[in-house]
Structures are given as structure tokens and as C-alpha cells.
């Protein structure tokens, strides 16, 4: 629930006051309520829309959610473009500027570095290539959608588009949006792929850890997936070595073992986890004039320099706009489907809730797209969630099937260390000219900037975009087999999304699929990002397909940066689509995907990734379903909703018994410890035990791990006195005490480590059985004393948590609640985040006090290194009833509108926070019954 509520009348009074203040700040420019209302969409009456061939109806319910009815496909998508522009054009405009590296054109020189990095990646260039190779029909739909957007732009300018454009005018930016193009829609897929790109962050973090941790310690922090406890998505099946086709019904022990030679193109995958001698870091491009240094000069010096430069890469990656959420162990989603055999309806029930960044408006847009007569010429009758700026529906259902998505997490990125000099890079013992192109960045209120982008055969050189990376010189990582480092190294990025695909075509194919065969055919085109796709149909079938373009590597396993000059580390192709895991009507009667392992590595010869989510959420969902269907029970729609809101903490179940055994002498701390006695491990918003436990968990992670990690991974401003990382360092006094240096963290709070995700659950699970492990030992740098074992550290964490919550929530533990710590703020992603304070006040909403938590099914995520604030959320929730689509339910994080103070700006958020749903009408009869506003679009 919101921490504060304001009546509608009071809110309007506040708006008027603020806007009058704005008028003064704007140097006499008059703003008023009309400025805010200018952009509210017309939802009744009729409008002429150029390009239509026949009338189109737009029916909106009490939540402002549109359902569009047309006689042909092009009219349908043209109207979709117009309606989305009505509600969300500012969001669409910002997105296309981001994906094309043109944010500086809107927001000035503060965005030049971000634009330069995005131009280097070349998202827009790839999108242009993708568009050219799409089928004519798909191009036609994209053109129709663009025509609808442009019809809206033609008749709306400035504040008529949104209050944000009025703000830009107020700032003297004189910005005018250009026409929408089909490539603008395709390019958004790159942003979606970037935020769901797999293990690039883990790959970088592991390399950075080498400054303070040895190989075994790093592997302690990345334990193997617990297949014996947390079930993979596909629990049976193997790839036939003769056909290379995955058989979901085959018993795994009969398939080729991981690393076998039977597949021909198979990936060994076992690696060994050790960073290659020349690939443990990343560098810049400035030549070392002395030309000195080689692999034998000193690995310590070289590794230290490499880590510094790789840290700069990590910082640069963190600055790229994360429109979907932090990229780490927390981001994910839930989806599951239960066969009619185990449901109260006798037909499948399907649930989905993607976990993404909280933003305002929500990343999702709800709508229905309906052909009045469904046939081959107009095959669409679909409803669900899509992205503004993209035609079609991304997640939802049509008249025959329903589908959901979660991130598969496949390893589709690799960093390569490159030896560059004099316009060339080294590859296979030869000097190869790198490709270059110039990019001009236009800057609002400033001078144009020109950058040069360089590319190798592994991809663009991303280290060119940071001045620190150009100083690598003689400090790059080297090994005896590596080329001389005198001229420096650079870092390139290989990523599947930088190669054109037909993912846009997959969206339309999914929308019109009528059976599992057509669903799988659509999935084959879904190249990036690689998603877990679940399926159900009205005939009672359920299924799963893992799609995506997933590389088959030569040497290496993608865990650490690789030497770009060695051809044996090149990708050798992609896993054949026919060999990707799938299931159809499994005997267990349900399928759960929640970012856990897709299939046991012992039953599958290809390497998908080793950096899965660790299955805390997925196994909890499995257990909840099992508890309902045992002894003949059935799962209802209400049960599906209840599961989505499950707040149970898996790490609390593991850790609390240990915490309760600790003898605590301090009565003040003992009172807090008593909160955990009898606690049922649910993290409700009003729970004091949940507040205290999560504080203990946060402090445990900091003491045991966070204070031992390098500065590149710790929270910015988190300063410690630590031993130098280059070597053990000389002593600083006659007593033999090691000298210490002050190091401050460099990561944003949302991306720092240890983040507290379920990877850390597994780390701690193992260490709890090792009470004398070095990880439990700490040192107080002021007294040279510290914790000597597990119980010492647990007592220390409980004490620190008590004092932390006293500071944040007060002395009286009876007033504590998890929701007071765990708050959600909804921020407009541009002006509401970085704009003037009064505009942030105008555009942002909250806070809401939430239940749920990290790796809970109700995944209101938070980063334990950074604090308790909500950093990712179930961005929408849906439950589909395949026996009666009109009985389905959905909810969005915010609302249909992107216009501040529109009635539908955040009208769904209160219900979302309480776990409530809206009815989801689908049939024309149900839609008509729910319709409150109707508009006719005419030729």
C-alpha cells in the first residue's frame, strides 16, 4: 500500500500550485492544468486516420486498456501504432533515441558517453539489417504500425504529446520528434536483449575477483547448480548423437555425456573454470612507448593492471540504460503451466510474471488486437502484454493458445582481449586490419561530437569508450604464450544480438499460432534474447520450448574473457534449433520455468550456460504445485494467484535455525533474536521478523564476503582499509602487522556484490557446514581482532542488524516492519530520474511498502550490498484460464497511460501491490460489457 495517500481534490490543488511555481521558474512561461491535460488521449467519438482502408473500433475499459477491432491486419496494426502513441509516445521516443545512441539530441551532453557506447555496439545498424531481411508481410505490418504513430504525430506537438515535451520546451531545448520508422520498432529488441544478455556481468565479476581471491575462492562463490535439490525445467531427455535432436521423453542416462565427442559439433563445456592466461582481463589501446614487458616479467603487476581496466569496462557496462532491470543473479521471471488433469477447470492454467526494473510507466502495455473475422487474410485475435513502440503482443493468448516467457539466461556474450597496433589487431599469428567507422553525435545545446568505432572479427572494441582503458599499456594481463604487451590490449565484445535475426517475425508468428507445432515454428525465429517459452492450448496440451541463438565455443567455457588472437577460442557455430530442449505433455502434469537450469548437464551435450539462477523460486513453485495436487487435489485460478504472491524466504528456512542457536549476551540484541522464534519465514509487509532477518542476512553477506571483494564490486562510497591487492605488502610496524590501504567501492547500489540472490543462498548453504572456514573469519582493522568462526560472525551480523534497524526503524522492535524498509518508488525513467526536482515530484509516485523479497516467488528484489529498496519487481502478472479465456486475469505494475495525472497513470499499482487482479475480457461480448469508452477510427 502507498505510505501516503492524497485525495483527488487535494492532488489537483497541489498540481495547480506546482505548475504555477513552474511558470515562475520558467521565466514567465505560463503553465497550467491545461498543459498537463493537453496530452490526454481522445477515447470517444470518431477520428479520421489517414491510411486506413476500413473503420476501426477502439474500446477501452475502466482501466483505459484498449481493445482494437479491424477488418484487416494492416488496419489493425496501424490503429495499434496510433493508440500506443496516444498513451505512451514520450516513452517510445526515448526508447528509440536510446537504441540508436541519440539520447544527447534530447538531453544534451550528459548523455554523450552513453550514446558513444551504444553507437559502438551498433544496435541501430543491426536493426536496419534485420529489417531488410524480414519477410514482406512483416515489413508491411511494421510500416502500417509506423503510419499509425506518424498520423498521431502529425496532429500533436509539444505539450499535446506529453508534459515532458513541455518541460523540454521550458528548458529551451526546442526539440521536435521525428517521424517513426519500422526500424525504430525493431531496434527495441536490442535493448530487451541487452538487459537479458546472460552472464556477461558474471564473466566480468569473476575476472575482477582475481585481485583479492584465488581460483578456489572464486569457485566457492560460484557453486555448481544443485540438481539434486532444485529440479531443472526439463527433467528427462537427451540429444541423440546420430540425429542431434533432443528427445524430451528419453531417459537421460542413455544420452551422450557432457563433453563427449559423439555430437561432432558438441561443446565440451566442462572447461575447468580457470581464466586463460591471456584472457583474465580487459584493456585499452594506448601503446607503451618503452615496449618493455613480457609474460615472465611479473604476473602480479600485469594482473593488477588488467583488473583496473576490466573494472573500467564494468563501470561502463553499468552506465548503459537498464530499461528492463539490473543484470545479475536477481533478474528473472516466473512462469508455470498446469495440465487440466490437475486443475479445477479441466483445462490448463498458465501463469507468468516477468521480473524487471520498476519504472513509470511500466515497461508493459496491455491491449487486445482483434480481426472482426478471423481468417487467413486477417488471422489475429490476440490479447496480452506488449511493449510500446512494437506491433503485436509479446506475452498473452489468442483464441487457441497461451504462452509465457522467462529469461533462459544462456551465455550469449564473450569478452575478448585484443592485441592492437598501427591499425591492426593480431589474429592467428597475422596482423589483420580492423574495421573502422565514424559516428557523429548531435548534442542538444552543444557541439556535435565525432567518434571512431573499431571492430575486430570478434566484434566492436568496447574499451575505446573510456579514457582509463586507453592507459592499459604494459599492465595488460599476459601469459608466456601471449603476444608482447608493449602496444597494449583492447577489449571486444562478441554477442549474438549484434548479428541480424528474425525475432520480430517471431512475434507475429506467436500471435497467430494455433497449436504446438506452429508455436515451436515461431520459437525457432526467436533468436535473441533467448527465452524459456511455456505453452498451453484450449485442447488441453501443455508444452515448453527453449529457443535462441546460442553459441558453440571452441576452447573456453565463457566464464572468463578469452584471448582474441587465438583462433581456438572462436565460436564454431550455434546449437542447432532442433537440438534445443523442449517438452510436450510431460507425465508430471506441469512445467515450471523460473530461470533455473534448463536441463541437467549430464543429459545434454551442449553448453547453455553455467550461470543459471540457482532454483530457489522454481523449486518453491514446484513444491507448491505438488502440495496442491497430491492425494488427488486440484489447482484453481485462485491457487495460481496465491502462488504468485508467495513470500516465503528460502534462505531464512536454512539460516534461522543456526541464528537461534547463537548465545547472545546483549539483551538488546537478544530481544531482536527472539523475533525469529516461531516465525513462519513469510516476508509480509507488516512482518517485524522479516525485517530483522533480512537485515541479518545483509550484514552476514557484508562481513563474510563483501568486505573481502575488490573495490570494483563493492558499493560506491563503501570504503575499507584493506591489504594492497598487488601483493601481500610490506609490514607497517615492528609488530609485523600488514600495511593497509583505503579502498572505496565503485559499483552502483543496484549492481554491487554480494547482491544476496540465490547464488549466495548456495554459497552460504555449503559454508554453514564448515564452521571454521576462512570465509567466516574477519578482522577489525582498528583492534586487529575479529570473528574467528561461523558462530562469531553470525553473532556479529545479528548485533549489526539490531543497530542498523534501530537507526532506520527505531528502538522499539514492535514497530518494525519489513515494508518500512522494503519500499518501491516508481520513477519516470528520464526527467523523473535525472531532471529538476520539481519535475521529479511531478512525474514520480510512491513509496509503496511491499512484502516479498529476493528470490521469493513474489520477487520484489533488493540488492543486499546496496540496501533494502526494491530494485526489480514482478513487472506484470497474468493467469490464463484455457477453459474460458474471459475468466483470465491480469494486472500491470502501473497503468495504461504514460501521462502524469491521467486517471490511468498508476491506477493499477495499489491492486498490484496487494496481489489483486483485473478481469481480462477477451471475447467481443465480454469486451463490450467491460467497455466504458469507445472511439471510431475512420478512413
Amino acid at each position: 500500500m502507498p505510505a501516503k495517500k492524497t485525495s483527488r481534490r487535494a492532488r489537483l490543488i497541489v498540481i495547480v500550485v506546482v505548475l504555477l511555481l513552474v511558470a515562475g521558474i520558467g521565466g514567465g512561461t505560463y503553465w497550467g492544468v491545461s498543459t498537463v491535460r493537453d496530452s490526454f488521449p481522445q477515447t470517444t467519438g470518431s477520428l479520421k486516420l489517414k491510411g486506413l482502408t476500413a473503420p476501426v473500433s477502439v474500446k477501452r475499459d475502466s482501466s483505459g486498456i484498449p481493445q482494437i477491432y479491424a477488418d484487416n491486419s494492416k488496419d489493425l496494426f496501424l490503429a495499434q501504432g496510433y493508440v500506443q502513441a496516444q498513451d505512451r509516445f514520450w516513452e517510445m521516443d526515448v526508447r528509440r533515441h536510446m537504441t540508436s545512441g541519440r539520447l544527447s539530441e534530447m538531453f544534451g551532453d550528459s548523455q554523450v558517453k552513453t550514446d558513444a557506447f551504444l553507437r559502438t555496439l551498433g544496435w541501430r545498424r543491426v536493426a536496419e539489417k534485420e529489417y531488410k531481411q524480414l519477410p514482406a508481410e512483416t515489413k508491411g505490418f511494421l510500416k502500417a504500425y509506423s503510419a499509425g504513430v506518424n498520423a498521431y504525430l502529425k496532429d500533436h506537438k509539444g505539450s499535446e504529446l506529453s508534459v515532458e515535451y513541455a518541460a523540454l520546451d521550458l528548458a529551451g531545448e526546442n526539440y521536435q520528434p521525428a517521424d517513426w520508422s519500422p526500424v525504430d520498432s525493431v531496434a527495441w529488441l536490442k535493448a530487451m536483449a541487452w538487459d537479458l544478455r546472460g552472464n556477461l556481468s558474471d564473466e566480468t565479476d569473476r575476472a575482477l575477483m582475481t585481485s583479492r581471491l584465488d581460483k578456489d575462492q572464486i569457485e566457492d562463490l560460484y557453486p555448481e547448480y544443485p540438481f539434486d535439490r532444485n529440479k531443472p525445467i526439463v527433467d528427462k531427455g537427451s540429444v541423440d548423437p546420430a540425429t542431434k535432436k533432443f528427445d524430451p521423453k528419453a531417459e537421460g542416462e542413455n544420452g551422450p555425456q557432457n563433453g563427449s565427442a559423439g555430437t561432432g559439433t558438441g561443446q565440451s563445456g566442462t572447461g575447468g573454470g580457470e581464466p586463460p592466461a591471456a584472457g583474465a582481463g580487459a584493456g585499452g589501446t594506448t601503446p607503451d612507448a618503452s615496449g618493455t614487458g613480457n609474460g615472465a616479467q611479473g604476473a602480479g603487476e600485469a594482473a593488477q593492471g588488467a583488473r583496473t581496466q576490466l573494472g573500467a569496462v564494468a563501470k561502463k557496462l553499468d552506465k548503459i540504460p537498464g530499461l528492463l532491470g539490473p543484470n545479475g543473479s536477481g533478474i528473472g521471471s516466473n512462469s508455470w503451466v498446469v495440465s487440466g488433469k490437475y486443475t479445477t477447470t479441466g483445462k490448463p492454467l498458465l501463469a507468468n510474471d516477468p521480473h524487471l526494473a520498476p519504472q513509470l510507466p511500466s515497461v508493459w502495455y496491455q491491449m487486445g488486437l482483434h480481426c472482426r473475422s478471423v481468417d487467413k487474410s486477417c488471422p489475429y485475435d490476440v490479447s496480452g502484454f506488449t511493449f510500446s513502440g512494437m506491433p503485436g503482443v509479446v506475452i498473452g493468448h489468442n483464441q487457441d493458445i497461451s504462452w509465457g516467457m522467462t529469461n533462459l539466461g544462456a551465455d550469449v556474450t564473450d569478452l575478448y582481449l585484443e592485441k592492437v597496433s598501427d591499425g591492426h589487431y593480431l589474429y592467428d599469428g597475422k596482423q589483420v586490419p580492423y574495421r573502422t567507422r565514424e559516428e557523429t553525435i548531435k548534442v542538444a545545446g552543444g557541439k556535435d561530437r565525432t567518434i571512431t568505432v573499431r571492430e575486430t572479427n570478434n566484434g566492436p572494441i568496447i574499451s575505446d569508450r573510456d579514457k582509463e582503458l586507453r592507459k592499459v599499456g604494459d599492465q595488460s594481463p599476459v601469459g608466456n604464450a601471449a603476444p608482447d604487451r608493449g602496444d597494449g590490449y583492447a577489449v571486444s565484445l562478441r554477442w549474438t544480438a549484434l548479428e541480424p535475426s528474425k525475432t520480430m517475425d517471431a512475434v507475429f508468428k506467436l500471435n497467430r499460432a494455433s497449436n504446438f507445432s506452429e508455436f515451436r515454428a515461431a520459437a525457432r525465429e526467436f533468436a535473441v534474447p533467448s527465452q524459456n517459452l511455456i505453452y498451453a492450448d484450449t485442447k488441453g496440451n501443455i508444452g515448453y520450448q527453449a529457443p535462441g541463438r546460442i553459441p558453440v565455443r571452441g576452447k573456453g567455457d565463457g566464464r572468463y574473457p578469452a584471448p582474441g588472437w587465438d583462433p581456438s577460442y572462436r565460436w564454431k557455430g550455434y546449437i542447432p534449433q532442433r537440438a534445443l530442449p523442449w517438452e510436450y505433455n510431460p507425465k508430471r502434469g506441469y512445467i515450471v520455468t523460473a530461470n533455473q537450469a534448463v536441463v541437467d548437464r549430464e543429459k545434454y551435450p551442449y553448453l547453455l550456460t553455467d550461470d543459471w539462477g540457482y532454483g530457489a523460486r522454481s523449486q518453491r513453485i514446484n513444491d507448491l504445485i505438488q502440495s496442491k495436487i497430491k492425494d488427488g487435489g486440484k489447482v484453481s485460478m485462485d491457487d495460481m494467484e496465491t502462488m504468485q504472491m508467495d513470500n516465503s524466504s528460502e534462505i531464512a528456512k536454512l539460516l534461522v535455525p543456526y541464528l537461534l542457536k547463537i548465545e547472545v549476551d546483549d539483551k538488546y540484541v537478544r530481544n531482536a533474536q527472539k523475533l525469529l522464534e516461531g516465525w513462519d519465514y513469510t516476508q509480509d509487509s507488516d512482518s517485524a521478523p522479516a525485517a530483522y532477518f533480512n537485515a541479518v542476512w545483509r550484514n552476514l553477506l557484508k562481513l563474510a564476503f563483501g568486505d573481502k571483494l575488490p573495490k570494483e564490486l563493492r558499493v560506491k562510497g563503501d570504503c575499507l582499509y584493506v591489504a594492497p591487492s598487488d601483493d601481500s605488502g610490506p609490514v607497517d610496524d615492528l609488530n609485523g602487522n600488514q600495511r593497509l590501504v583505503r579502498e572505496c567501492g565503485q559499483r552502483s547500489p543496484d549492481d554491487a556484490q554480494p547482491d544476496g540472490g540465490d547464488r549466495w543462498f548456495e554459497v552460504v548453504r555449503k559454508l554453514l557446514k564448515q564452521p571454521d572456514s576462512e570465509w567466516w573469519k574477519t578482522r577489525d582493522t582498528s583492534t586487529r581482532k575479529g570473528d574467528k568462526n561461523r558462530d562469531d560472525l553470525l553473532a556479529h551480523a545479528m548485533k549489526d542488524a539490531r543497530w542498523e534497524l534501530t537507526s532506520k526503524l527505531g528502538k522499539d522492535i514492535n514497530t518494525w516492519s519489513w515494508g518500512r524498509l522494503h519500499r518501491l518508488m516508481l520513477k519516470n525513467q528520464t526527467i523523473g530520474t535525472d531532471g529538476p526536482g520539481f519535475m521529479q515530484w511531478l512525474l514520480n509516485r510512491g513509496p509503496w511498502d511491499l512484502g516479498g523479497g529476493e528470490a521469493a516467488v513474489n520477487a520484489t528484489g533488493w540488492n543486499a550490498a546496496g540496501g533494502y529498496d526494491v530494485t526489480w519487481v514482478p513487472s506484470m502478472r497474468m493467469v490464463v484460464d484455457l477453459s474460458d479465456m474471459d475468466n483470465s486475469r491480469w494486472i500491470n505494475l502501473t497503468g495504461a497511460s504514460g501521462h502524469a495525472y491521467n486517471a490511468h497513470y498508476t491506477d493499477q499499482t495499489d491492486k498490484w501491490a496487494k496481489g489483486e487482479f483485473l478481469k481480462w475480457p477477451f471475447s467481443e461480448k465480454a469486451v463490450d460489457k467491460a467497455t466504458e469508452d469507445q472511439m471510431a477510427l475512420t478512413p
Side-chain angles (χ1 to χ4, degrees):
M1 292 292 292
K4 298 179 181 178
K5 291 186 177 180
T6 308
S7 72
R8 185 170 182 175
R9 176 170 177 161
R11 176 177 286 181
L12 288 173
I13 292 173
V14 170
I15 296 171
V16 173
V17 172
V18 170
L19 293 178
L20 289 174
L21 287 173
V22 172
I25 295 170
T29 301
Y30 176 74
W31 271 29
V33 173
S34 62
T35 305
V36 175
R37 297 182 61 86
D38 274 351
S39 58
F40 289 6
Q42 177 180 340
T43 58
T44 59
S46 63
L47 282 170
K48 288 188 176 182
L49 197 55
K50 184 179 179 181
L52 286 180
T53 61
V56 173
S57 296
V58 182
K59 304 175 183 181
R60 293 178 183 258
D61 63 11
S62 60
S63 298
I65 299 170
Q67 303 282 342
I68 301 176
Y69 289 83
D71 289 341
N72 61 75
S73 298
K74 288 190 176 181
D75 282 356
L76 188 65
F77 295 120
L78 191 149
Q80 182 183 16
Y82 187 89
V83 170
Q84 285 195 340
Q86 281 187 303
D87 286 332
R88 300 279 192 95
F89 184 73
W90 169 260
E91 178 188 24
M92 293 164 59
D93 201 14
V94 171
R95 282 180 176 176
R96 67 168 167 173
H97 277 78
M98 189 271 285
T99 57
S100 58
R102 295 170 47 223
L103 288 168
S104 301
E105 294 178 18
M106 298 183 77
F107 306 113
D109 59 11
S110 65
Q111 299 300 315
V112 169
K113 288 186 177 180
T114 297
D115 282 347
F117 197 95
L118 293 169
R119 296 284 186 96
T120 299
L121 292 179
W123 290 357
R124 176 77 182 193
R125 292 166 57 86
V126 179
E128 289 171 351
K129 294 177 182 177
E130 286 192 4
Y131 176 70
K132 289 180 181 179
Q133 69 182 29
L134 289 172
E137 182 183 55
T138 300
K139 287 182 180 177
F141 296 158
L142 288 164
K143 289 177 181 177
Y145 180 90
S146 298
V149 176
N150 293 330
Y152 185 76
L153 291 181
K154 182 179 178 181
D155 296 329
H156 296 80
K157 308 293 180 184
S159 63
E160 294 175 334
L161 285 171
S162 78
V163 71
E164 289 92 339
Y165 289 104
L168 289 183
D169 289 344
L170 191 68
E173 297 293 351
N174 195 30
Y175 170 78
Q176 296 295 326
D179 283 350
W180 192 266
S181 78
V183 178
D184 292 332
S185 296
V186 176
W188 171 242
L189 293 169
K190 300 302 153 191
M192 185 170 70
W194 176 257
D195 281 347
L196 302 174
R197 62 191 179 270
N199 80 332
L200 184 59
S201 295
D202 289 329
E203 183 178 340
T204 304
D205 287 355
R206 279 191 289 264
L208 289 168
M209 287 179 184
T210 59
S211 66
R212 297 216 166 270
L213 306 176
D214 61 32
K215 174 183 176 291
D216 289 339
Q217 290 173 318
I218 294 172
E219 293 305 314
D220 281 347
L221 303 185
Y222 290 87
E224 293 183 357
Y225 185 90
F227 286 102
D228 59 333
R229 186 177 356 94
N230 295 343
K231 296 178 181 178
I233 297 171
V234 179
D235 60 3
K236 291 184 179 180
S238 67
V239 171
D240 185 320
T243 65
K244 300 190 180 77
K245 183 175 181 181
F246 187 79
D247 181 358
K249 298 179 181 179
E251 292 294 338
E253 62 267 21
N254 296 324
Q257 296 300 302
N258 185 57
S260 71
T263 64
T265 59
Q267 160 69 28
S268 66
T270 55
E274 184 134 23
T285 59
T286 300
D288 174 18
S290 68
T292 60
N294 55 42
Q297 181 179 350
E301 175 189 350
Q304 173 64 15
R307 287 184 291 266
T308 299
Q309 307 314 320
L310 188 58
V313 172
K315 287 194 291 184
K316 180 59 63 178
L317 296 178
D318 287 344
K319 291 179 181 178
I320 303 305
L323 292 187
L324 300 183
N327 187 273
S329 64
I331 193 169
S333 303
N334 300 323
S335 71
W336 66 94
V337 60
V338 182
S339 167
K341 178 181 178 181
Y342 296 116
T343 68
T344 57
T345 66
K347 289 290 177 71
L349 300 177
L350 185 149
N352 195 189
D353 55 286
H355 306 157
L356 304 171
Q359 54 185 284
L360 183 61
S362 167
V363 69
W364 297 109
Y365 184 89
Q366 296 153 285
M367 71 187 319
L369 301 171
H370 309 277
C371 294
R372 291 193 177 99
S373 178
V374 179
D375 53 32
K376 289 184 178 180
S377 65
C378 193
Y380 298 98
D381 189 15
V382 61
S383 184
F385 296 84
T386 190
F387 300 121
S388 58
M390 265 182 60
V393 167
V394 176
I395 296 174
H397 70 80
N398 59 30
Q399 70 275 29
D400 297 311
I401 75 167
S402 179
W403 67 95
M405 297 185 189
T406 64
N407 195 25
L408 191 150
D411 185 358
V412 296
T413 58
D414 277 333
L415 292 174
Y416 283 90
L417 196 65
E418 306 284 0
K419 169 68 173 179
V420 298
S421 61
D422 299 327
H424 295 74
Y425 63 95
L426 182 65
Y427 179 71
D428 198 16
K430 300 176 182 178
Q431 294 294 324
V432 181
Y434 49 68
R435 300 181 298 277
T436 63
R437 69 176 189 273
E438 287 194 347
E439 297 272 355
T440 299
I441 300 172
K442 296 184 181 298
V443 183
K447 295 182 179 179
D448 293 354
R449 313 289 175 83
T450 300
I451 64 170
T452 300
V453 177
R454 304 188 297 172
E455 293 188 6
T456 72
N457 61 354
N458 288 314
I461 295 177
I462 60 175
S463 55
D464 283 352
R465 300 282 73 88
D466 191 290
K467 63 182 180 181
E468 293 182 21
L469 298 178
R470 296 194 292 271
K471 300 176 181 177
V472 62
D474 62 357
Q475 291 190 330
S476 293
V478 294
N480 290 334
D484 184 89
R485 69 183 179 219
D487 290 335
Y489 296 122
V491 182
S492 65
L493 173 67
R494 182 83 186 267
W495 177 32
T496 56
L498 297 184
E499 301 169 22
S501 70
K502 295 183 178 180
T503 301
M504 191 71 244
D505 200 40
V507 173
F508 295 108
K509 288 185 176 180
L510 275 176
N511 285 195
R512 59 181 183 253
S514 61
N515 55 49
F516 191 60
S517 177
E518 293 176 1
F519 167 79
R520 293 190 69 202
R524 281 196 290 272
E525 303 292 350
F526 209 104
V528 289
S530 185
Q531 298 288 287
N532 296 306
L533 295 178
I534 61 165
Y535 167 94
D537 63 38
T538 56
K539 294 182 178 179
N541 302 300
I542 65 173
Y544 163 81
Q545 177 67 57
R549 181 183 289 163
I550 304 172
V552 174
R553 292 172 174 82
K555 274 189 178 180
D557 54 12
R559 288 175 64 79
Y560 292 89
W565 50 80
D566 187 342
S568 64
Y569 284 85
R570 291 275 292 169
W571 292 0
K572 296 184 177 300
Y574 301 100
I575 298 175
Q577 291 292 305
R578 63 182 179 276
L580 288 171
W582 61 282
E583 274 193 323
Y584 189 57
N585 293 329
K587 289 183 179 179
R588 64 180 175 278
Y590 59 88
I591 302 170
V592 176
T593 85
N595 317 112
Q596 78 271 41
V598 172
V599 65
D600 193 328
R601 282 189 59 176
E602 295 300 315
K603 300 177 180 179
Y604 192 69
Y606 296 102
L607 176 65
L608 298 174
T609 185
D610 278 331
D611 290 312
W612 307 107
Y614 279 75
R617 280 182 289 109
S618 62
Q619 193 55 44
R620 175 64 177 171
I621 296 167
N622 272 295
D623 292 344
L624 289 171
I625 295 172
Q626 280 288 344
S627 69
K628 289 297 298 184
I629 66 176
K630 68 179 181 181
D631 302 324
K634 302 284 186 178
V635 177
S636 68
M637 287 286 288
D638 288 345
D639 291 331
M640 298 286 276
E641 291 182 14
T642 299
M643 291 178 195
Q644 285 187 324
M645 294 301 296
D646 183 77
N647 287 331
S648 180
S649 171
E650 296 304 302
I651 186 59
K653 294 176 185 177
L654 173 67
L655 192 56
V656 165
Y658 288 88
L659 297 176
L660 291 176
K661 291 179 181 178
I662 302 297
E663 294 186 9
V664 177
D665 296 329
D666 187 330
K667 292 183 179 179
Y668 204 57
V669 179
R670 173 60 183 149
N671 286 338
Q673 184 188 35
K674 287 182 179 179
L675 286 173
L676 303 178
E677 295 177 358
W679 178 41
D680 63 359
Y681 311 120
T682 59
Q683 302 170 96
D684 294 333
S685 175
D686 61 358
S687 171
Y692 182 59
F693 173 79
N694 282 315
V696 174
W697 174 237
R698 167 172 150 80
N699 281 277
L700 180 159
L701 291 169
K702 176 179 171 60
L703 292 167
F705 311 106
D707 290 353
K708 297 164 187 170
L709 296 177
K711 61 182 181 293
E712 294 88 354
L713 272 66
R714 299 201 313 271
V715 174
K716 187 176 183 179
D718 175 18
C719 301
L720 299 169
Y721 284 92
V722 297
S725 58
D726 52 351
D727 53 41
S728 60
V731 296
D732 65 355
D733 60 30
L734 296 177
N735 294 323
N737 291 317
Q738 189 180 57
R739 72 179 172 94
L740 302 174
V741 296
R742 189 171 186 263
E743 283 189 353
C744 296
Q746 299 176 349
R747 280 278 175 90
S748 70
D750 291 353
D751 294 291
Q753 292 292 340
D755 61 19
D758 61 357
R759 171 164 67 88
W760 295 98
F761 294 8
E762 295 305 312
V763 171
V764 171
R765 183 187 302 275
K766 179 180 178 181
L767 291 176
L768 286 172
K769 299 175 183 178
Q770 304 173 28
D772 296 317
S773 167
E774 291 296 316
W775 288 109
W776 298 118
K777 299 178 182 179
T778 65
R779 181 175 65 178
D780 185 325
T781 56
S782 61
T783 64
R784 304 290 179 176
K785 296 180 181 179
D787 305 313
K788 294 181 172 57
N789 54 43
R790 177 195 67 199
D791 289 355
D792 281 356
L793 188 139
L794 295 181
H796 190 167
M798 285 196 290
K799 178 180 178 181
D800 286 358
R802 176 41 155 136
W803 286 106
E804 181 186 8
L805 294 199
T806 297
S807 173
K808 293 180 181 295
L809 302 179
K811 292 182 180 180
D812 185 358
I813 61 176
N814 294 316
T815 67
W816 290 359
S817 70
W818 175 223
R820 287 177 61 199
L821 283 176
H822 193 51
R823 287 185 156 185
L824 169 68
M825 277 296 300
L826 292 175
K827 295 183 178 181
N828 177 287
Q829 290 299 288
T830 49
I831 295 176
T833 302
D834 297 318
F838 67 85
M839 286 302 298
Q840 293 189 38
W841 189 94
L842 184 70
L843 297 173
N844 299 342
R845 299 290 182 272
W848 280 264
D849 298 351
L850 298 185
E854 176 59 49
V857 179
N858 181 24
T860 55
W862 55 286
N863 186 305
Y868 303 98
D869 290 341
V870 176
T871 57
W872 56 84
V873 293
S875 54
M876 63 81 160
R877 299 186 183 100
M878 74 175 196
V879 181
V880 180
D881 181 354
L882 276 297
S883 73
D884 179 4
M885 296 297 193
D886 289 332
N887 191 43
S888 301
R889 305 164 193 177
W890 60 355
I891 195 75
N892 206 350
L893 173 64
T894 59
S897 179
H899 302 296
Y901 296 100
N902 182 280
H904 305 304
Y905 191 47
T906 55
D907 60 328
Q908 297 186 47
T909 309
D910 282 355
K911 289 181 177 293
W912 173 92
K914 292 184 286 188
E916 297 175 357
F917 285 74
L918 299 175
K919 292 182 178 180
W920 184 356
F922 177 68
S923 69
E924 189 167 9
K925 180 179 179 181
V927 168
D928 286 343
K929 184 177 180 181
T931 296
E932 292 206 351
D933 289 338
Q934 182 166 342
M935 179 174 63
L937 300 177
T938 61

